Amino acid sequence: MLETRGLTRTFGETRAVTDVDLTVPTGSMTGFVGGNGAGKTTTMRMIMGILAPTAGDVLWQGRPVTAAERARFGYMPEERGLYPKQPVLRQLVYLGRLHGLTAAGAKRTALEHLERFGLADRSDVKLETLSLGNQQRVQIAAAVMAQPIALILDEPFSGLDPKAVDAMADLLREHAARGVPVLFSSHQLDLVERLCDHLVVLAKGAVVAHGSVDELRHRGRLLHRLVVDGDAGWVRDVDGVSVLDVDGGTAVLELVAHDASDRILREALRRGSVRELSALVPTLSDIYREVTA
Amino acid sequence: MTTSPTTSRTGSTSTTTTSTARTTLPTGGGLVRDDERATGQSLWLVVAGREMLVKLTDKNFIISTAVTLAFLAGSLGLQALIGGGSNKVTIAVAGPQSRQVIEQVGRNAEQRDQPMQLTITDSPDAAAVTAAVRGKSAEVGLVHDGDAWRLVGLSTPATGLTASVREAVQQQVLGANAAAAGTTVDVLTRGSTVDVAALDPNDDPGLRYAVGFVFAFLFYLASLLFGMTIASSVVEEKQSRVVEILVTAIPLRQLLLGKVAGNTLLALAQMVVFVGVGLIGLSFSSYSSFLPAIASASGWFLIFFVAGFVALACLWAVAGSLATRNEDLQSTTPALTTILVVAMMVGLVGEGAVRTVGSYIPVISTVAMPMRLFTGDAAWWEPVVSLLITLVFAAFAVVVGERLYARSVLQTQRRMTIREAMRAGD
């Protein structure tokens, strides 16, 4: 399990990240969302030790992370980072060796990953001759090839086509499935919703929401939508119901009393037909807008 | 909070998303086998290995090294060709006495350790000898005409050859005359030998300048080439952000150490090859008698070169880390190139006190001290003291360089100044 406790970073007078507590449970995919300048990259750089925190700690399995443990984290920086003018395989082998693999071991795993990404026949070309999407595949291979104990990925899906997104998502799930905590940032909320078990929302350098996706969905009031024939204004008079909005035959309600739904339905049926009575589960975008507002 | 060992593989928190994941990681679950984990490997060696591999597979480096080698070998070969040309002569002779004289010329040359390649062609008479020279089938001809000897050439024969022939004729005639007088040549020439004694055998101004030029040139060339290599290597990693991945895997000190070690080793290897080719070439030239003195000065030069290079290596890395793009190197490296130019100029044209002082200043001493050793005006302890000064400076430069490098290499926003790097906290 990877955690941060009170992680804070200031640049001169500016507070980029304030008191961030986050938890990436073992074997979970945790999405890290927030607008531009919210502090996601700064937080990730502090987790990786590239940036020293002004205050706070990064914990691995409950204890402050050591350099040796960090060396086994897989990391994908926001601005990418490989040698543009070096052959693909050679630099993967180099990075693998720096992450503690033997030369032979690094070559084997590098080739396997290139094979998986369909880049085996491009292993000897310079990285810069590959398309951006393929360069990103090599980048992710660099992050995962040494069998990391944790994965910290800054915007791993940006710039990928839908097929590549799926392939990348599969790869990350496989690593999560073998018990690795995976933290990744993304602007694509639908993607985060689809992939993540956990979510951390950052706004203006502080955590504004965190937990499992289900927890976040149900943390607020549970709203329902009622659609009837004719005007629905009568719902305001039903006991145990708090009405948020009525628009013609459609009303958005909070069912406060235990038996409110029965009463609403009975009254509606007495007046005509009921087209719909459904729970309004907020999308991640709704939650995001709500917590960052 | 529960803590579990790092080997924990629990997937208990996984939800439907993870449980449906395919397990198709590359072979064997994509897992790294235990025997594929290197234990106790020195990461700086991995870095050094890469630095060298990149350089050795760099076309520009291979070409520039080959061109320099060709230039060295070519200039030495040319000298050998010019020198060797005069040793190869075809001589037309008429009569056995003339033949004996020329054979004596060959023996004398061999005794002096400067063998000549003499081709002797026999002609029936003096007219035929003259015709052979005129027809260019022989370069010179030797004719014995009664009491007189005549050396015939199209133009005046080379002075060296003329002297050799004159000497051989005198030996022959002297021997014959001595025998006729009932004595020997040794008796007649006793007490007449003149030996040459050079009090300062290395004081050949032309050679001194040539050796100084070669040292200064090689020093400047290699320091600049490999110094810029270190700076570009640092800025390349910074520009491409790969440094962010590197620092998560390896301490910055090891990264820097690997770069410095790899490039120093390559610079030394290249220098050894250049100096070696130079010395081999020299041994075939007419300056071969200077070989011991030049070889000893070259040995010191290599030692000083390594110390001087290491002293600047970390500062080259700083020049790279202050930049954010390759173009910035133009504004972060001039201080270092200026040092190299000064070192080269002092070694090349510095005389007397300037060179003596220079031979104790780190980096500048790389050229100045070996030059003083070559010309014999440095006592045995002077290079030792100078080298110690350079090593102390190198240690200081490495510490300062490492600190500045660590402070600036992760600042990717814009080019930094030295002052900013000194002030930066982390």
Side-chain angles (χ1 to χ4, degrees), chain B residues 39-61:
Chain B
T39 46
Q41 74 171 348
S42 300
L43 292 177
W44 67 272
L45 284 177
V46 177
V47 176
R50 175 184 176 273
E51 288 290 320
M52 291 196 281
L53 181 68
V54 168
K55 200 74 189 155
L56 289 173
T57 52
D58 174 18
K59 274 195 207 94
N60 293 334
F61 172 70

Side-chain angles (χ1 to χ4, degrees), chain A residues 1 3 5 9 25-29 45 48-52 59-63 67 69-73 75-86 90-91 94-106 108-109 112-113 116 139 142 144-149 170-171 173-179 194-198, chain B residues 1-39 41-51 53-55 57-59 233 236-237 239-251 255 259 326 410-413 426:
Chain A
M1 183 159 68
E3 297 160 280
R5 288 290 167 263
R9 171 72 200 202
T26 298
S28 88
M29 300 264 282
R45 283 163 67 101
M48 290 309 299
I50 294 165
L51 201 60
L59 307 181
W60 174 248
Q61 311 296 19
R63 287 180 299 273
E69 285 160 353
R70 261 196 186 121
R72 293 205 53 197
F73 286 10
Y75 175 55
M76 187 164 169
E78 181 192 26
E79 295 187 71
R80 309 301 175 241
L82 288 173
Y83 297 97
K85 297 193 184 305
Q86 294 292 307
R90 193 199 281 174
Q91 54 185 312
Y94 175 59
L95 293 173
R97 293 188 70 192
L98 290 186
H99 278 99
L101 302 186
T102 61
R108 184 187 65 78
T109 56
E112 277 177 6
H113 279 89
R116 173 176 177 146
Q139 191 81 49
V144 302
M145 62 177 279
Q147 200 188 323
I149 57 175
D170 282 346
L171 181 71
R173 283 201 197 102
E174 288 162 32
H175 282 278
R178 69 176 175 85
R194 188 152 64 85
L195 292 180
C196 287
D197 317 313
H198 285 76
Chain B
M1 164 193 340
T2 55
T3 58
S4 50
T6 53
T7 51
S8 159
R9 289 278 151 73
T10 62
S12 56
T13 55
S14 62
T15 63
T16 47
T17 1
T18 50
S19 59
T20 56
R22 291 183 298 130
T23 43
T24 51
L25 279 169
T27 316
L31 301 183
V32 174
R33 296 194 305 265
D34 281 347
D35 64 339
E36 289 176 337
R37 291 231 174 260
T39 46
Q41 74 171 348
S42 300
L43 292 177
W44 67 272
L45 284 177
V46 177
V47 176
R50 175 184 176 273
E51 288 290 320
L53 181 68
V54 168
K55 200 74 189 155
T57 52
D58 174 18
K59 274 195 207 94
S233 166
E236 184 200 10
E237 286 171 359
Q239 189 171 3
S240 68
R241 306 292 195 268
V242 73
V243 68
E244 294 201 6
I245 295 179
L246 298 179
V247 298
T248 62
I250 167 175
L255 185 60
K259 279 185 193 304
N326 233 325
L410 290 170
Q411 300 287 334
T412 49
Q413 307 302 323
D426 52 76

